[in-house]
Every structure is written in structure tokens, then in C-alpha cells.
Amino acid sequence: MTALPTRRDEEWRYAPVEVLAGLKALPEAEHIAVEAGATRPIYKCVSTGAANKVDIQRFQIDIAEGARCEAFFLLTGSGYKRLDIDVTLAEGAHFELGAVGIGRGEEVTEIVTRLRHVAPGATSNQVMRGVAMDQATITMIGRIDVAKEAQHTDAALGAKGLLLDRTATINAKPELEIYADDVKCAHGCAIGQLDEMALFYAQQRGLPMAEARNLLMQAFVAEAYGEIGDTKWRDHMTGYAESALRGTF
Amino acid sequence: MLQITNLHATVADKPILKGLTLSLNAGEIHAIMGPNGAGKSTLGYVLSGRPGYEVTEGSVTFNGEDLLAMDPHERAAAGLFLGFQYPVEIPGVSNVQFLREALNAQRKHRGEEPLSGGEFLKLARAQADAMGMDMEMLKRPVNVGFSGGEKKRNEMVQMGIIDPALAILDETDSGLDIDALRVVGEGINRIMRRPDKAVLLITHYQRLLDYVQPDFVHVLADGRITRSGGPELALELEREGYKELAA
């Protein structure tokens, strides 16, 4: 059991306190160790069924020398859902993340990662995409720590949000703490709406408004799954995301 | 085919079209020329139904139907195609997927069977070949990373695939070098020069008209057609400039 966090914890700053208060403790993190030289894929849908349900999934991932972990998530469904990933990368390791959060109604969705680059030459790439409708809140926080020893780290983090209604909220926050001096760390956050001109272009070519919107939303979330090498799984994940966008997951 | 009568339109409450009247019959190619800010692009957007372009007076019928009462996708399904002056980039959606979904949405609207993947690819390949566009480019996201000329060429490939009855081509010649201009001009002739089709060419310059002979040329100035004539009017405009003729 882990002690309950408070909103003073930066990573819980946007979480609904009333939901946290209802918990006795945080669920334990699932520990995943990727052995040296191995590749470990993870595909997971974080989805609760009911509006009052809480689903917090925590992962603690250790990636050994030269190993890879490629993790892809879809967060959808009602209630409060949170994906919490803490990754430690050994020398030459790689971590790949593609995470999509889709929120409607009053749902709260959180994608929170912490990457610890503790040894030289490790690389990471994180793509987060959030689509918020109605009064939903989506929070994407990516923290990257690069230790003094972790020279030649190459870390990239991109978090983008799509607000479909004026009443929806998206928080996106990269946090970088870098102690090594020869590293590449790229981060970008962008929150916007569907491109009006692209919507009109699609309609002019024949797509009804609803289909034009769907097409653009699908393209937006599909960016998170672009690095899935296994085409069968890539199709699965994009298919799940498409149904989630339609509200038929 | 298209009858525009006393059309007034505003953009952000600013009057742009001020009583435009124009009639196109099947089998005709009309060129609209005019100075910057005359309302040429606005005309294209109003006819295709872009949000924010508000008609305040007048009427437009397309094959006898009230065009202005239709949604943009209904106008497309009815056979109206707008070639964009600045074709839009859509990251994450391939040209093939985009066009197949668009074409099948149009077919569905008209009560026709959708094209299968194989049938569509055959059609797309034929149109890409005819425009000298590599099929690989059609598999890439819509217009992303395309040069200005490639975007315009892609508009013509789309027009060939969609096969509209009426094409409104908004400065399709801008940003093209001489070779691309010829290819695009030939594309317009090949796809649209038919007894059952019509074209409204919006352009600044005479040069596209060297490849696509218009039957009629109109001068659009300050939101109205101020002069109409045959192909010789375009040459006159090129010589004299708009200033003399617009008044």
C-alpha cells in the first residue's frame, strides 16, 4: 500500500481531491523488468465502465542495458482514470510511449509519466494525445530526469490536446530536470481545436460534418500509435481509439 | 447549370459581393478575372458554402435546385467541386483514405454503391498517372510536405477522381511553373471539357487561359461583374490592366 498523495504533490495537482479522499490507499504499481537486450511491448486499455468508478493503473518499469520497452495505452470510459508510469532506463535502453486519453461528460483523465535517465546513451520518445469533450478534464504530465551520469541521453516528449467544447479542460505539462550537459531533450505541448479550414476542405470533398470531424480526430489520436511496429496491434489500438471517439467503446 | 442572381455576401459583416449576376451553361468554361480584393475567392467560398461567408441577398440555383440551402457536403454530392487556392494540409490522413471516404460519402448521398478498395485504387492510379503524380504521393498524408505546385496538381488528381459536373477553380494557376501550368491546364481540359460539365476559372492572369480556352471572360470588380466578353477580353485586360476596364 502506498500513502495517499495530496494536491501539493505536483503530479496530483489537477486530480479531483474528492476522488482521492474516497480511496484507502493508492493501488500498488505493477513492476515490469525488461531484461538486457530484450524488447517488451505493452498494449493496454485503461477503461472504467461506470461514472462513479475509479481506475488508477500504475507501472514501475525497469529497462536494462540495451533493452526496449514499447508501451501503448488508451484511456477512455467514464469516471476517474489515471495512468501512472515510472520508468528507469539503464545504459542504451529505450522507452517508447504512445498514450491517448479521451474524455467526455465530467470524466477526469490523467496521463502521468516519470522517466529516469540514470545511465549514458538511453533514449525515450513519448507521444501523448488528449481529446476532451463536454466538461471533461484531461491532464498530461511528463517528467524527465536526466542524471549527471546520463550523457548522450536523447529524450523526446510531445503532448497535444484537442478541445472539442468550450467547457472542457486540458492541462499539459512537460517537466525536465537535467544534470548532464551533453544531452538532447525535446519537449512540446500544444492545445487547440479542430482546424476549421481542414473541416471545410473535407466537407467540400463530400464528407458530412460529423464524418469530417471524426476523420480529423482519428488522425490526431493515431499519431500516438504511429510507432507501433506490429501492424495488427496498431490496427487494434487505432480501432479502439476510433470507437472511443465515437462513444461506442 | 448555374444561375447566380443579384448575389450579395458578407464576410465578418463586411460586404464583399454586391449584386453579382452570372449564368453558366453545361459545356461552357468561364473565366473570372479581376484585381485583388474584388471578391473572386469569396465567390468560390460562397458557392461552396464555407462557414462565415454569409449571403444577405440574391439566389443561386444549381441544376434547378437552391444551392444556398444545401450543406457543403450536399453541394459536393450534387456535383460542385472547389479547387482551393491554398489546398489544406491534413496530417495523419492519407490522400487515398481521404478521397475514398469523400467519394464514397458522395456516392452514398446520391444513392450509389460505394467503390471497393480495389476499384478506388484503380481509379486513383489512373488519375494520378494522368497528372504525372507518383502513386506513392497519394499514400502520403493530404498535402503534407507537398510543394505549392504539387498541391495544385493534387487538386487536379482529386478533381479527376471525384469527376464533378461543375468545377470552380480558385487561382489554380498560382504558384505553378510553366511546365506544371501546362500539365494542370491539360488536366482541366481532359477532365472538364465535356458537353455535360462546366468550369468557373478564377484567375489573375491570362497565362492559364493559353491552355484552357474560356468561352466567356468576366471582370469582377468591387463585388460585381463589370464587364463580360469572349476570350479577347482576357487579352485586352492583360494589355490594359484592370483599372481601365473595371469601372
Side-chain angles (χ1 to χ4, degrees):
Chain A
M1 300 286 252
T2 317
L4 274 181
T6 71
R7 269 199 166 164
R8 280 196 293 276
D9 295 302
E10 189 58 31
E11 289 169 8
W12 291 85
R13 197 170 140 186
Y14 306 99
V17 270
E18 64 280 6
V19 167
L20 291 178
L23 295 177
K24 284 200 183 69
L26 283 184
E28 289 297 329
E30 181 184 335
H31 186 240
I32 294 170
V34 189
E35 288 174 23
T39 296
R40 169 77 187 263
I42 300 171
Y43 308 104
K44 213 165 168 61
C45 294
V46 181
S47 174
T48 58
N52 58 352
K53 232 173 161 185
V54 173
D55 189 357
I56 299 175
Q57 299 212 7
R58 306 173 69 219
F59 296 89
Q60 191 200 323
I61 304 174
D62 284 301
I63 312 175
E65 285 80 7
R68 293 174 66 86
C69 178
E70 300 165 356
F72 299 94
F73 296 88
L74 171 66
L75 290 82
T76 183
S78 41
Y80 172 65
K81 52 203 178 288
R82 178 181 174 103
L83 172 67
D84 202 319
I85 310 178
D86 189 324
V87 185
T88 304
L89 296 107
E91 187 165 350
H94 179 77
F95 177 65
E96 184 76 39
L97 174 79
V100 173
I102 294 165
R104 46 167 56 81
E106 292 181 356
E107 294 169 26
V108 175
T109 307
E110 299 184 316
I111 299 167
V112 180
T113 64
R114 179 164 191 178
L115 266 59
R116 302 167 199 264
H117 282 263
V118 294
T123 55
S124 60
N125 184 44
Q126 302 180 79
V127 182
M128 303 177 185
R129 293 290 180 267
V131 180
M133 307 168 213
D134 308 322
Q135 288 89 46
T137 301
I138 297 178
T139 298
M140 298 175 277
I141 300 175
R143 173 165 172 177
I144 302 172
D145 295 338
V146 181
K148 206 166 66 190
E149 300 75 27
Q151 299 294 358
H152 304 120
T153 286
D154 188 345
L157 165 67
K160 282 193 200 167
L162 195 55
L163 284 168
L164 296 183
D165 291 298
R166 295 181 67 89
T167 44
T169 304
I170 296 180
N171 307 299
K173 192 156 173 268
E175 293 177 54
L176 286 86
E177 205 165 307
I178 303 170
Y179 292 100
D181 53 16
D182 187 10
V183 301
K184 274 203 279 189
C185 283
H187 60 90
C189 287
I191 295 170
Q193 294 165 291
L194 286 174
D195 179 349
E196 295 289 337
M197 206 55 202
L199 274 177
F200 174 61
Y201 193 56
Q203 289 178 83
Q204 208 301 305
R205 294 298 178 258
L207 289 173
M209 183 62 151
E211 285 181 41
R213 282 171 65 97
N214 254 327
L215 185 72
L216 296 187
M217 287 192 286
Q218 285 169 21
F220 177 79
V221 300
E223 289 172 347
Y225 302 138
E227 292 298 319
I228 301 181
D230 182 336
T231 51
K232 190 185 72 184
W233 269 106
R234 191 168 60 221
D235 291 348
H236 278 325
M237 292 302 283
T238 41
Y240 293 143
E242 283 170 21
S243 355
L245 285 171
R246 287 204 179 89
T248 56
F249 183 77
Chain B
M1 175 182 281
L2 185 73
Q3 178 64 52
I4 306 170
T5 310
N6 190 32
L7 185 65
H8 288 68
T10 59
V11 182
D13 291 329
K14 191 174 171 229
I16 308 286
L17 299 183
K18 304 166 186 172
L20 188 146
T21 296
L22 182 67
S23 169
L24 269 79
N25 296 312
E28 294 175 354
I29 293 183
H30 291 238
I32 288 204
M33 306 180 75
N36 286 321
K40 300 191 300 298
S41 291
T42 297
L43 177 62
Y45 287 139
V46 167
L47 294 176
S48 53
R50 181 175 169 189
Y53 287 69
E54 202 172 333
V55 174
T56 51
E57 208 183 320
S59 66
V60 182
T61 58
F62 181 44
N63 289 327
E65 288 191 70
D66 181 1
L67 185 73
L68 302 176
M70 301 182 202
D71 283 340
H73 74 277
E74 295 171 331
R75 301 181 195 200
L80 185 149
F81 177 90
L82 175 68
F84 282 60
Q85 184 180 4
Y86 303 107
V88 184
E89 298 184 6
I90 309 182
V93 182
S94 76
N95 279 291
V96 169
Q97 184 198 0
F98 179 65
L99 285 170
R100 188 179 161 205
E101 288 193 20
L103 180 61
N104 279 337
Q106 287 198 20
R107 293 178 67 92
K108 188 177 167 192
H109 195 88
R110 293 192 292 257
E112 298 164 7
E113 287 295 309
L115 288 188
S116 71
E119 288 167 328
F120 176 78
L121 278 179
K122 201 176 150 196
L123 172 64
R125 187 167 285 123
Q127 291 301 328
D129 283 351
M131 288 306 298
M133 183 181 259
D134 193 338
M135 197 59 194
E136 283 307 306
M137 281 190 79
L138 276 191
K139 291 178 184 162
R140 286 180 15 204
V142 179
N143 291 320
V144 177
F146 286 26
S147 70
E150 285 168 341
K151 286 179 180 173
K152 295 299 175 71
R153 207 178 275 229
N154 190 23
E155 290 290 282
M156 294 301 100
V157 173
Q158 296 190 16
M159 186 169 80
I161 290 170
I162 288 170
D163 196 23
L166 170 66
I168 300 161
L169 303 177
D170 188 3
E171 295 198 20
T172 295
D173 50 346
S174 67
L176 295 182
D177 61 33
I178 294 168
D179 291 338
L181 189 66
R182 183 177 45 78
V183 171
V184 164
E186 287 169 0
I188 297 170
N189 288 328
R190 176 178 52 80
I191 301 162
M192 299 302 298
R193 177 65 88 178
R194 307 227 183 120
D196 56 341
K197 292 174 178 247
V199 178
L200 191 57
L201 275 180
I202 296 171
T203 181
H204 271 301
Y205 304 108
Q206 156 66 27
R207 51 180 202 167
L208 179 63
L209 306 182
D210 290 339
Y211 299 100
V212 185
Q213 266 291 315
D215 303 297
F216 299 94
V217 174
H218 310 275
V219 179
L220 175 58
D222 195 26
R224 270 186 297 264
I225 303 290
T226 54
R227 213 173 140 186
S228 296
E232 72 287 346
L233 179 56
L235 296 167
E236 198 181 328
L237 283 169
E238 192 85 348
R239 249 192 347 261
E240 314 277 331
Y242 292 119
K243 214 164 177 189
E244 294 298 313
L245 289 159

